[in-house]
Amino acid sequence: MLVWPQEFDGLDAWVTGAHARVHLTHERIHRPAEWVVSGSLEDLKHRWPLARVEGDRLILDVGVVMAAPESIAATLASRGVPLDAIGLSRSGERCDPLGGEATLRERKLTFVETLRGADDAVLPLDVLALASETGLAPSEELLATLEARSGNLLRACRHRVRRALTRLLVGRYPSEALDILEQVRGLAMVLPEVQSMVGLHKSSRYHHKDVWDHTRQVVRQAIPEAGLRWAALLHDIGKPFTRSFEPPRTVHFFRHDELGAVMFEGIAVRLRFEDPEAARIGRLIGAHLRANLYARTWTDAAVRRFHQELGDTFEDLMHLSRADVTSKRPGRRREAIHNLYDLRCRVSQIKVADALRKPCIPKGLGAAISAALGIAPGPVIGDLRRLCEEAVRDGRLPADPTVEACVSFLRSIEAA
């Protein structure tokens, strides 16, 4: 049940989109709520001066807010897609200016031309986001209309493009919606890097799996959280540009993970991703192969370094790696999933063991390092102390090392 945020106390506020439809469809919702609030955009900016502005909308912690300068019904109707124009008030009253409930009963996905307007460039994405949320397939007539409008996406507001794509990705049926987006040429207009994966296997000298089918399956299997599903969609975008062949019939995609992370930098700028979200997705793309390389022969030190290098990205990477297991061979699939589970268990065990056995580093080590190695006090000294701590855990230094032993160990690393 939706809890009405206190931010809207005393306001004429209506929830719309999937959060209004949930009482009719019981669909799962994995994205922030959308609200329509009586008043002008300037009034709402004055009420929430710290809110982020994206075009004609405000972004609050409680969701996306649209202003209704004339009336709630008129603003809902301007959304143009009946299923997306249903509003629900705090008291449970419904506002349905375009007959969205009727189209839902008829299982129709439509839009109203006169209200949405031929100039609304992002319309194809909004319609397919609804297809992803509800599982309703566009009619042949609607598909033709969407294809005819796909070129307009090139001049669409980038914030709205990203918002609609995110909405599509976190829906219940993202792989089907992505397939339709490609069919109507919308994918090429907004994400040419992803479009390049479509049909890639058909041009291969030797057989390899269909990268586009694999990508859509990874998106479907990923947890429906925006950052993870973006990473799932983009994790292999470097493959079309790194493919190489080795006799007799081997195909390689060397360093496609690194190239994919670099390519995403351009996507992040183009679609106006917020910096923290862009950094998170980029790290996941660049590291997406690493967890699936794990083997039980890894030493505790190797597992520890792996976890420390990933830091906050570790949990996200484990979820992405689990979704990236798409083998059709049950045995291979079970083995890959079990390896990921084993890695997670090893990390947990090592963290507990390390917490119980904190390395004993001698007092005055920082000053000794500074004097012996000629390093000024600062973050580098802390990094070198941590190297000594790790060496104690690994057994490369004794359990209670002297200052001289630690300095000698650091000199040996420097010499190597």
Side-chain angles (χ1 to χ4, degrees):
M1 182 178 178
L2 182 67
V3 177
W4 227 256
Q6 63 180 11
E7 283 86 346
F8 299 134
D9 287 350
L11 296 177
D12 184 18
W14 297 63
V15 69
T16 188
H19 286 77
R21 290 196 308 274
V22 70
H23 300 282
L24 304 171
T25 63
H26 305 290
E27 62 194 69
R28 296 173 186 173
I29 302 171
H30 306 294
R31 62 187 183 87
E34 293 181 283
W35 304 87
V36 177
V37 179
S38 291
S40 69
L41 184 61
E42 291 304 318
D43 291 339
L44 300 186
K45 287 180 183 178
H46 181 73
R47 184 179 182 88
W48 296 297
L50 299 181
R52 191 170 81 251
V53 181
E54 287 188 2
D56 60 346
R57 303 180 181 200
L58 298 182
I59 310 300
L60 303 179
D61 290 339
V62 296
V64 179
V65 177
M66 293 178 60
E70 298 177 15
S71 68
I72 296 295
T75 301
L76 288 173
S78 70
R79 294 168 71 88
V81 185
L83 276 179
D84 219 23
I86 301 172
L88 186 69
S89 71
R90 186 194 293 260
S91 64
E93 180 186 355
R94 288 199 189 103
C95 182
D96 185 11
L98 301 184
E101 291 189 49
T103 61
L104 184 61
R105 286 193 297 270
E106 297 167 4
R107 308 283 302 167
K108 287 183 178 180
L109 192 56
T110 61
F111 69 93
V112 180
E113 179 78 42
T114 55
L115 290 171
R116 197 61 189 258
D119 221 21
D120 195 336
V122 84
L123 175 64
L125 292 181
D126 283 341
V127 171
L128 294 181
L130 271 168
S132 178
E133 290 173 356
T134 63
L136 298 180
S139 65
E140 290 298 323
E141 181 182 1
L142 182 55
L143 286 176
T145 301
L146 296 181
E147 183 172 2
R149 289 168 173 262
S150 61
N152 293 344
L153 287 167
L154 294 172
R155 54 182 173 78
C157 170
R158 304 296 172 80
H159 290 299
R160 290 185 63 192
V161 168
R162 189 196 72 244
R163 207 158 51 220
L165 284 171
T166 300
R167 183 178 170 187
L168 184 156
L169 288 173
V170 299
R172 295 181 68 184
Y173 308 94
S175 58
E176 293 86 346
L178 285 169
D179 193 34
I180 298 171
L181 180 63
E182 193 279 323
Q183 290 175 30
V184 301
R185 301 188 304 163
L187 187 64
M189 300 300 170
V190 293
L191 287 171
E193 301 88 346
V194 177
Q195 178 67 43
S196 66
M197 296 190 290
V198 179
L200 179 66
H201 64 296
K202 296 178 181 178
S203 65
S204 180
R205 186 186 313 169
Y206 308 137
H207 172 75
H208 64 76
K209 67 184 176 185
D210 185 332
V211 181
W212 177 231
D213 278 355
H214 165 75
T215 295
R216 289 187 295 121
Q217 184 176 348
V218 176
V219 172
R220 184 173 65 249
Q221 293 180 170
I223 291 174
E225 186 275 328
L228 279 172
R229 287 214 163 160
W230 269 106
L233 177 66
L234 302 173
H235 75 286
D236 277 346
I237 55 175
K239 279 190 170 181
F241 311 98
T242 56
R243 185 173 63 183
S244 61
F245 304 100
E246 178 184 336
R249 303 191 65 81
T250 304
V251 182
H252 296 295
F253 300 96
F254 293 129
R255 306 189 79 165
H256 77 271
D257 47 341
E258 297 176 55
L259 178 59
V262 172
M263 292 171 65
F264 174 68
E265 293 176 8
I267 294 173
V269 172
R270 190 171 74 235
L271 295 185
R272 312 290 196 266
F273 277 86
E274 294 293 312
D275 288 345
E277 186 179 21
R280 176 192 176 206
I281 296 170
R283 286 195 300 268
L284 285 172
I285 294 170
H288 79 267
L289 295 177
R290 297 186 62 185
N292 284 325
L293 295 176
Y294 166 75
R296 297 176 194 174
T297 54
W298 282 18
T299 64
D300 284 354
V303 173
R304 184 182 293 108
R305 282 194 298 273
F306 174 80
H307 180 254
Q308 289 174 346
E309 288 171 10
L310 290 170
D312 294 340
T313 309
F314 176 76
E315 285 299 325
D316 286 340
L317 181 62
M318 296 301 291
H319 290 307
L320 178 60
S321 299
R322 171 63 179 80
D324 200 17
V325 178
T326 60
S327 174
K328 294 181 180 178
R329 293 179 290 170
R332 173 70 187 96
R333 190 178 179 87
R334 281 195 300 270
E335 180 185 4
I337 293 173
H338 186 77
N339 273 351
L340 291 172
Y341 177 74
D342 189 56
L343 173 58
R344 187 186 290 276
C345 290
R346 294 262 320 261
V347 166
S348 297
Q349 292 165 0
I350 291 169
K351 286 171 66 177
V352 171
D354 288 349
L356 295 175
R357 190 183 70 250
K358 185 172 178 62
C360 183
I361 298 299
K363 292 183 178 180
L365 178 58
I369 292 173
S370 179
L373 302 183
I375 300 174
V380 175
I381 298 295
D383 293 339
L384 293 176
R385 282 179 55 88
R386 282 188 285 275
L387 277 178
C388 292
E389 292 178 355
E390 186 176 330
V392 172
R393 294 191 185 99
D394 296 346
R396 291 175 290 164
L397 281 173
D400 191 10
T402 63
V403 169
E404 292 76 16
C406 291
V407 171
S408 177
F409 168 73
L410 293 175
R411 286 188 189 278
S412 68
I413 293 178
E414 187 179 30

